[in-house]
Amino acid sequence: RELGTFLIHIIQSQNLSWPLEKLTALFDHIPQKTLGHLLNELKKKTQLDSEIEQTLMDAVNKRNYLVHRFYYDNAYKFVSKKGQKEMISELETMIELFNKAEEFSFNLAKETRKLIGYNENEINTLTDQILKREIKKYSETGNVSPDF
């Protein structure tokens, strides 16, 4: 999510005259993109620090491996305690990588928000209000808004 937000901020900073409707349409379109696509789009639009870029690329590759190959490649490990421990260790390593990539993405988005002139306190207040509204709606109806 934060990588998509960072991409939107980069595009916004490069196209300050874009109307709000165009930015909103872009924002609505971002969640449909794969993480790899977002990273490639970012690399076209801005120069990333090499450590950040490598971490994000590693996270994309590990995520794809986890989704498409991890269980197939490790099926035989399910039958032994040793194999299960190896799988857990590998998953814990992935979690560390994903957390590092998320932290980089969050910090990139936060810094670009500052450059564009967004007020972080106002964003946090608005986010809290939306979250409280959605929690209340869920507790009353069992549903959340489609755009949440």
Side-chain angles (χ1 to χ4, degrees), residues 12-61:
Q12 186 179 14
S13 69
Q14 293 173 348
N15 301 284
L16 294 175
S17 62
W18 273 23
L20 182 59
E21 299 81 31
K22 193 169 183 178
L23 286 170
T24 302
L26 176 66
F27 188 78
D28 291 343
H29 189 64
I30 290 286
Q32 300 167 12
K33 297 295 184 185
T34 66
L35 191 55
H37 178 81
L38 290 174
L39 183 55
N40 286 331
E41 286 297 310
L42 269 174
K43 290 185 334 189
K44 290 179 195 174
K45 304 265 183 232
T46 189
Q47 179 72 36
L48 294 172
D49 173 84
S50 60
E51 180 188 4
I52 293 172
E53 183 176 341
Q54 189 60 54
T55 299
L56 295 174
M57 287 174 35
D58 290 347
V60 168
N61 291 335

Side-chain angles (χ1 to χ4, degrees), residues 41-144:
E41 286 297 310
L42 269 174
K43 290 185 334 189
K44 290 179 195 174
K45 304 265 183 232
T46 189
Q47 179 72 36
L48 294 172
D49 173 84
S50 60
E51 180 188 4
I52 293 172
E53 183 176 341
Q54 189 60 54
T55 299
L56 295 174
M57 287 174 35
D58 290 347
V60 168
N61 291 335
K62 279 295 183 187
R63 179 260 175 219
N64 291 340
Y65 167 71
L66 177 61
V67 170
H68 299 292
R69 301 279 315 173
F70 177 80
Y71 292 100
Y72 178 80
D73 289 352
N74 291 289
Y76 66 94
K77 291 183 180 179
F78 276 104
V79 297
S80 73
K81 291 287 182 195
K82 180 183 178 209
Q84 292 169 6
K85 286 181 182 180
E86 288 173 5
M87 290 173 64
I88 289 169
S89 177
E90 185 175 1
L91 289 168
E92 288 171 340
T93 301
M94 286 184 208
I95 289 169
E96 289 173 14
L97 173 63
F98 297 152
N99 285 339
K100 185 176 180 181
E102 181 181 32
E103 183 179 344
F104 280 148
S105 298
F106 177 79
N107 289 334
L108 288 169
K110 185 176 180 177
E111 288 305 310
T112 53
R113 283 193 293 269
K114 282 182 193 175
L115 291 172
I116 294 171
Y118 291 154
N119 182 310
E120 204 69 27
N121 290 331
E122 290 176 10
I123 291 171
N124 291 336
T125 300
L126 183 60
T127 302
D128 288 344
Q129 290 172 356
I130 293 169
L131 187 58
K132 286 175 185 174
R133 181 191 72 214
E134 292 302 322
I135 289 170
K136 182 178 183 210
K137 181 178 179 182
Y138 183 78
S139 69
E140 293 171 352
T141 67
N143 296 312
V144 294

